[in-house]
Amino acid sequence: MRRALQLARQGAPHTTPNPMVGAVVVCGDRIIGEGFHRRCGEAHAEVNAIAAVADRSLLPSSTLYVTLEPCSHQGRTPPCARLIIEMGIPRVVVGTLDPFERVSGRGVAMLREVGVQVEVGVLEAECRALNRRFLTAHTLRRPWVQLKWAQSADGFMAAPAGAPRLRLSSPLTLCLMHRERAMADAIVVGAGTILADDPSLTPRVLDAPLLRVVLDEHGRVPPTSRVLSDGGNTLVLKGYHAPAQWLAQLYAQGITSVMVEGGPTVLTQLIDSGLWDEARIETAPFTVGQGLRAPTIIGDVVERLQVDGRKIITLQNPAKSR
């Protein structure tokens, strides 16, 4: 299963909105086939692992290890559970069940109905952490929400109006942020961020599909802004209300994860509503004394990094620990 997890990670960030999945076929004490889901719309991990087996006569004596429950429905590709049955694989070990409503236990049930031995829950915590975005989205029926901002050591995220723009990140920490950005289905900002900074909101370290979402309640964003004029994929939500409403709208459009980059009003709304899962906060090693205050947040620290003198902490919503 650890090898299957290693393989699954190679699909990032191209599998979204599908999960990252890895699979390993073992006969005796030897791996005879392995594979992972490479890209949304292409073959699933189980299909690739079985296809990699040179001697198909070994399959009826083999075990398939897979990080996520095999699918049981006809989507863009045929159901993997049916392929496992057709290949005569007698035992399947599953990392965690799939909460997606068209699977949700049906894949395991399909296998067990024909006598396949199925074990569920091996390295389950690791398998769930790998696909926390996908699992959260289909459990709560809203995108997994990552908040992100950079701030000065005294808690300011932007300079006062009319002052030069603050450079809170270093080139290296920017690179790390862009890697995180590439993992999201969408980047969300408020209209104020577009008016103040005119950002492009694109990932610059990985070739990843990305939707830019602008919350523009009063129609203030001009058509000349970069997100509307550079030919990229942008959705402007006008007249939005509570975070739960626009999150539900994005989920209905197939968005399973968002990185929310500002401004402080949007970030604070999500913090106050509890509709966030993870927060990534970068703190620069200098003070500025005045400007736009960063939000206040309380969470469980899951990671600490020190990069180029910057402190980067990742917080988890305490509600997820209960």
Side-chain angles (χ1 to χ4, degrees), residues 125-219:
E126 291 90 333
C127 291
R128 293 187 65 82
L130 174 72
N131 281 309
R132 59 194 184 279
R133 294 167 171 84
F134 175 85
L135 297 173
T136 295
H138 294 299
T139 300
L140 301 180
R141 302 188 68 79
R142 63 154 175 85
W144 182 85
V145 176
Q146 182 185 39
L147 311 180
K148 168 262 168 183
W149 71 85
Q151 62 185 28
S152 63
D154 53 348
F156 293 97
M157 62 187 303
R165 183 178 176 184
L166 280 180
R167 299 293 179 180
L168 296 165
S169 299
S170 73
L172 181 53
T173 60
L174 277 174
C175 184
L176 294 176
M177 183 277 292
H178 280 288
R179 184 182 66 179
E180 283 289 309
R181 184 183 276 183
M183 295 299 296
D185 289 351
I187 303 300
V188 179
V189 298
T193 297
I194 301 297
L195 294 172
D197 299 332
D198 193 22
S200 60
L201 301 177
T202 55
R204 301 188 181 106
V205 297
L206 290 170
D207 178 21
L210 187 69
L211 174 67
R212 294 153 326 169
V213 178
V214 181
L215 305 176
D216 187 13
E217 185 174 7
H218 303 295

Coordinates of all heavy atoms in Angstrom, one line a residue, residues 125-219:
A125 N -5.5 6.4 7.1 CA -5.2 7.8 7.4 C -4.3 8.4 6.3 O -4.6 9.5 5.8 CB -4.5 7.9 8.7
E126 N -3.3 7.7 5.8 CA -2.5 8.2 4.7 C -3.2 8.3 3.4 O -3.1 9.3 2.7 CB -1.2 7.3 4.5 CG -0.2 7.3 5.7 CD -0.5 6.3 6.8 OE1 -1.7 5.9 6.9 OE2 0.4 5.9 7.4
C127 N -4.1 7.3 3.1 CA -4.9 7.3 1.9 C -5.9 8.5 1.9 O -6.1 9.1 0.9 CB -5.6 6.0 1.7 SG -4.4 4.6 1.3
R128 N -6.5 8.7 3.1 CA -7.4 9.8 3.2 C -6.7 11.2 3.1 O -7.2 12.1 2.5 CB -8.2 9.7 4.5 CG -9.2 8.5 4.5 CD -10.0 8.6 5.8 NE -11.0 9.7 5.7 CZ -12.1 9.7 5.0 NH1 -12.5 8.6 4.4 NH2 -12.9 10.8 5.1
A129 N -5.5 11.3 3.7 CA -4.8 12.6 3.6 C -4.4 12.9 2.2 O -4.4 14.0 1.8 CB -3.5 12.5 4.5
L130 N -4.0 11.9 1.4 CA -3.6 12.1 0.0 C -4.8 12.7 -0.8 O -4.5 13.6 -1.6 CB -3.3 10.7 -0.6 CG -3.0 10.7 -2.1 CD1 -1.7 11.4 -2.4 CD2 -3.0 9.3 -2.7
N131 N -6.0 12.3 -0.5 CA -7.1 12.8 -1.3 C -8.1 13.6 -0.4 O -9.3 13.5 -0.6 CB -7.9 11.6 -2.0 CG -7.2 11.2 -3.2 OD1 -6.8 11.9 -4.1 ND2 -6.9 9.9 -3.3
R132 N -7.5 14.4 0.5 CA -8.4 15.2 1.4 C -9.2 16.1 0.7 O -10.4 16.4 1.1 CB -7.5 15.9 2.5 CG -6.5 16.9 1.9 CD -5.5 17.3 3.0 NE -4.5 18.3 2.6 CZ -3.4 18.0 1.9 NH1 -3.2 16.8 1.5 NH2 -2.6 19.0 1.5
R133 N -8.8 16.7 -0.4 CA -9.6 17.6 -1.2 C -10.8 16.9 -1.8 O -12.0 17.3 -1.6 CB -8.8 18.2 -2.4 CG -7.6 19.1 -1.9 CD -6.6 19.4 -3.0 NE -5.7 20.4 -2.6 CZ -4.5 20.1 -2.0 NH1 -4.3 18.9 -1.6 NH2 -3.7 21.1 -1.7
F134 N -10.6 15.8 -2.5 CA -11.7 15.0 -3.1 C -12.6 14.5 -2.1 O -13.9 14.6 -2.2 CB -11.0 13.8 -3.9 CG -12.0 12.9 -4.5 CD1 -12.6 13.2 -5.7 CD2 -12.4 11.7 -3.8 CE1 -13.5 12.3 -6.3 CE2 -13.3 10.8 -4.4 CZ -13.9 11.1 -5.6
L135 N -12.1 13.9 -1.0 CA -13.0 13.3 0.0 C -13.8 14.3 0.8 O -15.0 14.1 1.0 CB -12.1 12.5 1.0 CG -11.3 11.3 0.5 CD1 -10.4 10.7 1.5 CD2 -12.3 10.2 -0.1
T136 N -13.2 15.5 1.1 CA -14.0 16.5 1.7 C -15.1 17.0 0.8 O -16.2 17.2 1.3 CB -13.1 17.7 2.1 OG1 -12.1 17.2 3.1 CG2 -13.8 18.9 2.7
A137 N -14.8 17.2 -0.4 CA -15.8 17.8 -1.4 C -17.0 16.9 -1.4 O -18.2 17.3 -1.4 CB -15.2 18.0 -2.7
H138 N -16.8 15.6 -1.6 CA -17.9 14.7 -1.8 C -18.6 14.2 -0.5 O -19.6 13.6 -0.5 CB -17.5 13.5 -2.7 CG -17.1 13.9 -4.1 ND1 -18.0 14.5 -4.9 CD2 -15.9 13.8 -4.7 CE1 -17.4 14.8 -6.0 NE2 -16.2 14.4 -6.0
T139 N -17.9 14.5 0.6 CA -18.6 14.2 1.9 C -19.4 15.4 2.3 O -20.6 15.2 2.8 CB -17.5 13.9 3.0 OG1 -16.7 12.8 2.6 CG2 -18.2 13.7 4.3
L140 N -18.9 16.6 2.2 CA -19.6 17.8 2.6 C -20.4 18.5 1.5 O -21.1 19.5 1.8 CB -18.6 18.8 3.3 CG -17.8 18.3 4.5 CD1 -16.9 19.3 5.0 CD2 -18.8 17.8 5.6
R141 N -20.1 18.1 0.3 CA -20.8 18.6 -0.9 C -20.5 20.1 -1.0 O -21.3 21.0 -1.3 CB -22.3 18.4 -0.9 CG -22.7 16.9 -0.8 CD -24.1 16.6 -1.0 NE -24.6 16.9 -2.3 CZ -24.4 16.2 -3.4 NH1 -23.8 15.0 -3.3 NH2 -24.8 16.5 -4.6
R142 N -19.2 20.4 -0.8 CA -18.7 21.7 -1.1 C -17.2 21.5 -1.4 O -16.6 20.5 -1.0 CB -18.8 22.7 0.1 CG -18.1 22.2 1.4 CD -17.8 23.4 2.3 NE -17.2 23.0 3.5 CZ -15.9 22.8 3.7 NH1 -15.0 22.9 2.7 NH2 -15.4 22.5 4.9
P143 N -16.5 22.5 -2.1 CA -15.1 22.3 -2.3 C -14.3 22.3 -1.0 O -14.7 23.0 0.0 CB -14.7 23.5 -3.2 CG -16.0 24.0 -3.7 CD -17.1 23.7 -2.7
W144 N -13.2 21.6 -1.0 CA -12.2 21.7 0.1 C -11.6 23.1 0.0 O -11.2 23.6 -1.1 CB -11.2 20.6 -0.1 CG -10.1 20.5 0.9 CD1 -10.1 19.9 2.1 CD2 -8.7 21.1 0.8 NE1 -8.9 20.0 2.7 CE2 -8.0 20.8 2.0 CE3 -8.1 21.9 -0.1 CZ2 -6.7 21.2 2.2 CZ3 -6.8 22.3 0.1 CH2 -6.1 21.9 1.3
V145 N -11.5 23.8 1.2 CA -11.1 25.2 1.1 C -9.8 25.4 1.8 O -9.6 25.1 3.0 CB -12.2 26.1 1.9 CG1 -11.7 27.5 1.9 CG2 -13.5 26.0 1.1
Q146 N -8.8 25.9 1.1 CA -7.5 26.3 1.6 C -7.4 27.8 1.6 O -7.5 28.4 0.6 CB -6.4 25.7 0.8 CG -5.0 26.0 1.4 CD -3.8 25.5 0.5 OE1 -3.9 25.6 -0.7 NE2 -2.8 25.0 1.2
L147 N -7.2 28.4 2.8 CA -7.0 29.8 2.9 C -5.5 30.1 2.8 O -4.7 29.3 3.2 CB -7.5 30.4 4.2 CG -8.9 30.0 4.7 CD1 -9.2 30.6 6.0 CD2 -9.9 30.4 3.6
K148 N -5.1 31.2 2.2 CA -3.7 31.5 2.0 C -3.4 33.0 2.0 O -4.2 33.7 1.4 CB -3.2 30.9 0.6 CG -1.8 31.3 0.2 CD -1.9 32.5 -0.8 CE -0.6 33.1 -1.1 NZ -0.7 34.2 -2.0
W149 N -2.4 33.4 2.8 CA -2.0 34.8 2.8 C -0.6 34.9 3.3 O -0.1 34.0 4.0 CB -2.9 35.7 3.5 CG -3.0 35.6 5.0 CD1 -2.1 36.2 5.9 CD2 -3.9 34.9 5.8 NE1 -2.5 35.9 7.2 CE2 -3.6 35.1 7.2 CE3 -5.0 34.0 5.5 CZ2 -4.3 34.5 8.2 CZ3 -5.7 33.5 6.5 CH2 -5.3 33.7 7.9
A150 N 0.1 36.0 3.0 CA 1.4 36.3 3.5 C 1.2 37.6 4.3 O 0.4 38.5 4.0 CB 2.4 36.6 2.4
Q151 N 2.0 37.7 5.4 CA 1.9 38.9 6.3 C 3.2 39.3 6.8 O 4.2 38.5 6.8 CB 0.9 38.5 7.5 CG 1.4 37.4 8.3 CD 0.4 37.0 9.4 OE1 -0.8 37.1 9.2 NE2 0.9 36.5 10.5
S152 N 3.3 40.5 7.3 CA 4.5 41.0 8.0 C 4.6 40.4 9.4 O 3.6 39.8 9.9 CB 4.5 42.5 8.0 OG 3.4 42.9 8.8
A153 N 5.7 40.6 10.0 CA 5.9 40.0 11.4 C 4.9 40.7 12.4 O 4.6 40.1 13.4 CB 7.3 40.2 11.9
D154 N 4.4 41.9 12.1 CA 3.5 42.5 12.9 C 2.0 42.4 12.4 O 1.1 43.2 12.9 CB 3.8 44.0 13.2 CG 4.1 44.8 12.0 OD1 4.2 44.2 10.9 OD2 4.2 46.0 12.1
G155 N 1.8 41.5 11.5 CA 0.4 41.1 11.1 C -0.2 42.0 10.1 O -1.5 42.0 10.0
F156 N 0.5 42.6 9.1 CA -0.1 43.3 8.0 C 0.1 42.6 6.7 O 1.2 42.1 6.5 CB 0.5 44.7 7.9 CG 0.2 45.6 9.1 CD1 1.1 45.8 10.2 CD2 -1.0 46.3 9.1 CE1 0.7 46.6 11.3 CE2 -1.4 47.1 10.2 CZ -0.5 47.3 11.3
M157 N -0.9 42.5 5.9 CA -0.8 41.8 4.6 C -0.7 42.7 3.4 O -0.5 42.2 2.3 CB -2.0 40.8 4.5 CG -3.3 41.5 4.4 SD -4.7 40.3 4.4 CE -4.3 39.3 3.0
A158 N -0.8 44.0 3.6 CA -0.7 44.9 2.5 C -0.3 46.3 3.0 O -0.6 46.6 4.2 CB -2.0 45.0 1.7
A159 N 0.4 47.1 2.2 CA 0.8 48.4 2.6 C -0.5 49.4 2.6 O -1.5 49.1 2.0 CB 1.8 49.0 1.7
P160 N -0.4 50.5 3.2 CA -1.5 51.5 3.2 C -1.7 51.9 1.8 O -0.9 51.8 0.9 CB -1.0 52.7 4.1 CG 0.1 52.1 4.9 CD 0.7 51.0 4.1
A161 N -2.9 52.4 1.5 CA -3.3 52.9 0.2 C -2.3 54.0 -0.3 O -1.9 54.9 0.5 CB -4.7 53.5 0.2
G162 N -1.8 53.8 -1.5 CA -0.9 54.8 -2.1 C 0.6 54.5 -1.8 O 1.5 55.1 -2.4
A163 N 0.9 53.6 -0.9 CA 2.3 53.2 -0.6 C 2.7 52.1 -1.5 O 1.9 51.4 -2.1 CB 2.4 52.7 0.9
P164 N 4.1 52.0 -1.7 CA 4.6 50.9 -2.6 C 4.1 49.5 -2.1 O 3.9 49.3 -0.9 CB 6.1 51.0 -2.4 CG 6.3 52.4 -2.0 CD 5.2 52.8 -1.1
R165 N 3.9 48.6 -3.0 CA 3.4 47.3 -2.7 C 4.4 46.5 -1.8 O 5.6 46.6 -2.0 CB 3.2 46.5 -4.0 CG 2.6 45.1 -3.8 CD 2.3 44.4 -5.1 NE 1.9 43.1 -4.9 CZ 1.6 42.2 -5.9 NH1 1.8 42.6 -7.1 NH2 1.2 41.0 -5.6
L166 N 3.9 45.9 -0.8 CA 4.8 45.0 0.1 C 5.2 43.8 -0.6 O 4.4 43.1 -1.3 CB 4.0 44.7 1.3 CG 3.9 45.7 2.5 CD1 3.1 45.1 3.6 CD2 5.2 46.1 3.0
R167 N 6.5 43.5 -0.5 CA 7.0 42.2 -1.0 C 7.3 41.3 0.2 O 8.4 41.3 0.7 CB 8.3 42.5 -1.8 CG 8.1 43.4 -3.0 CD 7.3 42.7 -4.1 NE 7.1 43.6 -5.3 CZ 6.4 43.3 -6.3 NH1 5.8 42.1 -6.4 NH2 6.2 44.2 -7.3
L168 N 6.3 40.5 0.5 CA 6.4 39.7 1.7 C 7.0 38.4 1.5 O 7.6 37.8 2.4 CB 5.0 39.5 2.3 CG 4.3 40.8 2.8 CD1 2.8 40.6 3.0 CD2 4.9 41.3 4.1
S169 N 6.9 37.9 0.3 CA 7.5 36.5 -0.1 C 8.8 36.7 -0.8 O 9.1 37.7 -1.4 CB 6.5 35.8 -1.0 OG 5.2 35.6 -0.3
S170 N 9.6 35.6 -0.7 CA 10.9 35.5 -1.4 C 10.6 34.8 -2.7 O 9.5 34.1 -2.9 CB 11.9 34.8 -0.6 OG 11.6 33.4 -0.6
P171 N 11.5 34.8 -3.7 CA 11.3 34.0 -4.9 C 11.1 32.5 -4.6 O 10.2 31.9 -5.3 CB 12.6 34.2 -5.7 CG 13.1 35.5 -5.3 CD 12.7 35.6 -3.8
L172 N 11.8 32.0 -3.6 CA 11.6 30.5 -3.3 C 10.2 30.3 -2.6 O 9.5 29.3 -3.0 CB 12.7 30.1 -2.4 CG 12.7 28.6 -2.0 CD1 12.6 27.7 -3.2 CD2 13.9 28.2 -1.1
T173 N 9.8 31.1 -1.7 CA 8.5 30.9 -1.1 C 7.4 31.1 -2.1 O 6.3 30.5 -2.0 CB 8.3 31.8 0.2 OG1 8.4 33.2 -0.2 CG2 9.3 31.4 1.2
L174 N 7.6 32.0 -3.0 CA 6.6 32.2 -4.1 C 6.5 30.9 -4.9 O 5.4 30.5 -5.3 CB 7.0 33.4 -5.0 CG 6.6 34.8 -4.6 CD1 7.2 35.8 -5.5 CD2 5.1 34.9 -4.5
C175 N 7.6 30.3 -5.2 CA 7.6 29.0 -5.9 C 6.8 28.0 -5.2 O 6.0 27.2 -5.8 CB 9.0 28.6 -6.2 SG 9.2 27.1 -7.2
L176 N 7.0 27.9 -3.9 CA 6.3 26.9 -3.1 C 4.8 27.2 -3.1 O 4.0 26.3 -3.2 CB 6.8 27.0 -1.6 CG 8.3 26.5 -1.4 CD1 8.7 26.7 0.1 CD2 8.4 25.0 -1.8
M177 N 4.5 28.5 -3.1 CA 3.1 28.9 -3.1 C 2.4 28.5 -4.4 O 1.3 28.0 -4.5 CB 2.9 30.4 -2.9 CG 1.5 30.9 -2.8 SD 0.7 31.2 -4.5 CE 1.7 32.6 -5.0
H178 N 3.2 28.7 -5.5 CA 2.6 28.3 -6.8 C 2.4 26.8 -7.0 O 1.5 26.4 -7.7 CB 3.5 28.9 -7.9 CG 3.3 30.3 -8.2 ND1 2.2 30.8 -8.8 CD2 4.1 31.4 -7.9 CE1 2.3 32.1 -8.9 NE2 3.4 32.5 -8.4
R179 N 3.3 26.1 -6.3 CA 3.1 24.6 -6.3 C 1.8 24.3 -5.6 O 1.0 23.4 -6.1 CB 4.3 23.9 -5.6 CG 4.2 22.4 -5.7 CD 5.3 21.8 -4.9 NE 5.3 22.0 -3.5 CZ 6.1 21.6 -2.6 NH1 7.2 20.9 -3.0 NH2 6.0 21.9 -1.3
E180 N 1.5 24.9 -4.5 CA 0.2 24.7 -3.8 C -0.9 25.2 -4.7 O -2.0 24.5 -4.7 CB 0.2 25.5 -2.5 CG 1.0 24.9 -1.4 CD 0.4 23.6 -0.8 OE1 -0.8 23.6 -0.5 OE2 1.1 22.6 -0.8
R181 N -0.8 26.3 -5.3 CA -1.8 26.8 -6.2 C -2.2 25.9 -7.3 O -3.4 25.7 -7.6 CB -1.4 28.2 -6.8 CG -2.4 28.9 -7.6 CD -1.9 30.1 -8.2 NE -1.9 31.3 -7.3 CZ -1.5 32.5 -7.7 NH1 -1.0 32.7 -8.9 NH2 -1.6 33.5 -6.8
A182 N -1.2 25.2 -7.8 CA -1.5 24.2 -8.9 C -2.3 23.0 -8.5 O -2.9 22.4 -9.3 CB -0.1 23.8 -9.5
M183 N -2.3 22.8 -7.2 CA -3.1 21.6 -6.7 C -4.6 21.9 -6.6 O -5.4 21.0 -6.4 CB -2.5 21.2 -5.3 CG -1.1 20.7 -5.3 SD -0.9 19.2 -6.4 CE -1.9 18.0 -5.5
A184 N -5.0 23.1 -6.6 CA -6.4 23.5 -6.5 C -7.1 23.5 -7.8 O -6.5 23.7 -8.9 CB -6.5 24.9 -5.9
D185 N -8.4 23.3 -7.8 CA -9.2 23.4 -9.0 C -9.5 24.8 -9.3 O -9.6 25.2 -10.5 CB -10.6 22.7 -8.8 CG -10.5 21.2 -8.7 OD1 -9.4 20.6 -9.0 OD2 -11.5 20.6 -8.4
A186 N -9.5 25.7 -8.3 CA -9.8 27.1 -8.5 C -9.1 28.0 -7.5 O -8.9 27.6 -6.4 CB -11.4 27.3 -8.5
I187 N -8.8 29.2 -7.9 CA -8.3 30.2 -7.1 C -9.4 31.3 -6.9 O -10.0 31.7 -7.9 CB -7.1 31.0 -7.7 CG1 -6.0 29.9 -8.0 CG2 -6.6 32.1 -6.8 CD1 -5.5 29.2 -6.8
V188 N -9.7 31.6 -5.6 CA -10.8 32.6 -5.3 C -10.3 33.8 -4.7 O -9.5 33.8 -3.8 CB -11.8 31.9 -4.4 CG1 -13.0 32.9 -4.1 CG2 -12.4 30.6 -5.0
V189 N -10.7 35.0 -5.2 CA -10.4 36.3 -4.7 C -11.6 37.2 -4.7 O -12.5 36.9 -5.5 CB -9.2 37.0 -5.4 CG1 -7.9 36.2 -5.3 CG2 -9.6 37.3 -6.8
G190 N -11.6 38.2 -3.9 CA -12.6 39.2 -3.9 C -12.3 40.3 -5.0 O -11.1 40.4 -5.4
A191 N -13.3 41.1 -5.3 CA -13.1 42.2 -6.3 C -12.0 43.1 -5.8 O -11.2 43.7 -6.6 CB -14.4 42.9 -6.5
G192 N -11.9 43.4 -4.5 CA -10.9 44.3 -4.0 C -9.5 43.9 -4.3 O -8.6 44.8 -4.6
T193 N -9.2 42.6 -4.3 CA -7.9 42.1 -4.6 C -7.5 42.4 -6.1 O -6.4 42.8 -6.4 CB -7.8 40.6 -4.3 OG1 -7.9 40.4 -2.9 CG2 -6.4 40.1 -4.8
I194 N -8.5 42.2 -7.0 CA -8.3 42.5 -8.4 C -8.0 44.0 -8.6 O -7.1 44.4 -9.3 CB -9.5 42.1 -9.2 CG1 -9.7 40.6 -9.1 CG2 -9.3 42.4 -10.7 CD1 -8.6 39.7 -9.5
L195 N -8.8 44.8 -7.9 CA -8.7 46.3 -8.1 C -7.4 46.8 -7.5 O -6.7 47.7 -8.1 CB -9.9 47.0 -7.4 CG -11.2 46.8 -8.1 CD1 -12.3 47.4 -7.2 CD2 -11.3 47.4 -9.5
A196 N -6.9 46.2 -6.4 CA -5.7 46.7 -5.8 C -4.4 46.2 -6.5 O -3.5 46.9 -6.7 CB -5.7 46.2 -4.3
D197 N -4.4 44.9 -6.9 CA -3.2 44.3 -7.4 C -3.2 43.9 -8.9 O -2.1 43.6 -9.5 CB -2.8 43.1 -6.6 CG -2.6 43.4 -5.1 OD1 -2.2 44.6 -4.8 OD2 -2.9 42.6 -4.2
D198 N -4.4 43.7 -9.5 CA -4.5 43.2 -10.8 C -3.7 41.9 -11.0 O -2.8 41.9 -12.0 CB -4.1 44.3 -11.9 CG -4.6 43.9 -13.3 OD1 -5.5 43.1 -13.4 OD2 -4.0 44.4 -14.3
P199 N -3.8 40.9 -10.2 CA -3.0 39.7 -10.3 C -3.5 38.8 -11.5 O -4.6 38.9 -12.0 CB -3.3 39.0 -9.0 CG -4.7 39.4 -8.7 CD -4.9 40.8 -9.1
S200 N -2.6 37.9 -12.0 CA -2.9 37.0 -13.0 C -3.5 35.7 -12.5 O -4.3 35.0 -13.1 CB -1.7 36.7 -13.9 OG -0.7 36.1 -13.1
L201 N -3.1 35.4 -11.2 CA -3.7 34.2 -10.5 C -3.5 32.9 -11.3 O -4.4 32.1 -11.5 CB -5.2 34.4 -10.2 CG -5.5 35.6 -9.4 CD1 -7.0 35.7 -9.2 CD2 -4.8 35.5 -8.0
T202 N -2.3 32.7 -11.8 CA -1.9 31.5 -12.6 C -0.9 30.7 -11.9 O 0.0 31.3 -11.2 CB -1.4 31.8 -14.0 OG1 -0.3 32.7 -13.9 CG2 -2.5 32.5 -14.8
P203 N -0.9 29.4 -12.0 CA 0.2 28.6 -11.4 C 1.4 28.7 -12.4 O 1.3 28.5 -13.6 CB -0.3 27.2 -11.4 CG -1.3 27.1 -12.5 CD -1.9 28.5 -12.6
R204 N 2.6 28.9 -11.8 CA 3.8 29.1 -12.7 C 4.8 28.0 -12.6 O 5.9 28.1 -13.2 CB 4.4 30.5 -12.3 CG 3.4 31.6 -12.5 CD 4.0 33.0 -12.4 NE 3.0 34.0 -12.6 CZ 2.4 34.7 -11.6 NH1 2.8 34.5 -10.4 NH2 1.5 35.6 -11.8
V205 N 4.6 27.0 -11.8 CA 5.6 25.9 -11.7 C 5.1 24.6 -12.2 O 5.9 23.7 -12.4 CB 6.0 25.7 -10.2 CG1 6.7 27.0 -9.7 CG2 4.9 25.4 -9.3
L206 N 3.8 24.4 -12.4 CA 3.3 23.2 -13.0 C 2.2 23.5 -14.0 O 1.5 24.5 -13.9 CB 2.6 22.3 -11.9 CG 3.6 21.7 -10.8 CD1 2.7 21.1 -9.7 CD2 4.4 20.6 -11.5
D207 N 2.2 22.7 -15.0 CA 1.1 22.9 -16.1 C -0.2 22.3 -15.5 O -0.4 21.1 -15.6 CB 1.6 22.1 -17.4 CG 0.5 22.2 -18.4 OD1 -0.3 23.2 -18.4 OD2 0.5 21.4 -19.4
A208 N -1.0 23.1 -14.9 CA -2.2 22.6 -14.3 C -3.4 23.4 -14.8 O -3.3 24.6 -14.9 CB -2.1 22.8 -12.8
P209 N -4.5 22.7 -15.0 CA -5.8 23.5 -15.3 C -6.2 24.2 -14.1 O -6.1 23.7 -12.9 CB -6.7 22.3 -15.6 CG -6.2 21.2 -14.9 CD -4.7 21.3 -14.9
L210 N -6.7 25.4 -14.2 CA -7.0 26.3 -13.1 C -8.1 27.3 -13.5 O -8.0 28.0 -14.5 CB -5.8 27.0 -12.6 CG -6.0 27.8 -11.3 CD1 -6.1 26.8 -10.1 CD2 -4.7 28.7 -11.0
L211 N -9.2 27.3 -12.7 CA -10.2 28.3 -12.8 C -10.0 29.4 -11.8 O -9.7 29.2 -10.7 CB -11.6 27.6 -12.5 CG -12.8 28.6 -12.5 CD1 -13.1 29.1 -13.9 CD2 -14.0 27.8 -12.0
R212 N -10.1 30.6 -12.3 CA -10.0 31.8 -11.5 C -11.4 32.3 -11.2 O -12.2 32.5 -12.1 CB -9.2 32.9 -12.1 CG -7.7 32.4 -12.3 CD -7.0 33.0 -13.4 NE -7.6 33.4 -14.6 CZ -7.0 34.1 -15.6 NH1 -5.8 34.6 -15.4 NH2 -7.7 34.3 -16.7
V213 N -11.7 32.4 -9.9 CA -13.0 32.9 -9.5 C -12.9 34.2 -8.8 O -12.2 34.4 -7.8 CB -13.7 31.8 -8.5 CG1 -15.1 32.3 -8.1 CG2 -13.8 30.5 -9.2
V214 N -13.7 35.2 -9.3 CA -13.7 36.5 -8.7 C -15.1 36.8 -8.1 O -16.1 36.7 -8.7 CB -13.4 37.6 -9.7 CG1 -13.4 39.0 -9.1 CG2 -12.1 37.3 -10.4
L215 N -15.1 37.1 -6.8 CA -16.4 37.4 -6.1 C -16.6 38.9 -6.2 O -15.9 39.7 -5.5 CB -16.3 37.0 -4.6 CG -15.9 35.5 -4.4 CD1 -15.8 35.2 -2.9 CD2 -17.0 34.6 -5.0
D216 N -17.4 39.3 -7.1 CA -17.6 40.7 -7.5 C -19.1 41.1 -7.3 O -19.9 41.2 -8.2 CB -17.2 40.9 -8.9 CG -17.2 42.3 -9.3 OD1 -17.2 43.2 -8.4 OD2 -17.1 42.6 -10.6
E217 N -19.4 41.3 -6.0 CA -20.8 41.6 -5.6 C -21.4 42.8 -6.4 O -22.6 42.7 -6.7 CB -20.9 41.8 -4.1 CG -22.3 41.9 -3.6 CD -22.3 42.0 -2.1 OE1 -21.3 42.0 -1.5 OE2 -23.4 42.0 -1.5
H218 N -20.6 43.8 -6.6 CA -21.2 45.0 -7.1 C -20.7 45.3 -8.6 O -20.9 46.4 -9.1 CB -20.8 46.2 -6.2 CG -21.3 46.1 -4.8 ND1 -22.7 46.0 -4.5 CD2 -20.6 45.9 -3.7 CE1 -22.8 45.8 -3.2 NE2 -21.6 45.8 -2.6
G219 N -20.1 44.3 -9.2 CA -19.7 44.5 -10.6 C -18.6 45.6 -10.8 O -18.6 46.3 -11.7

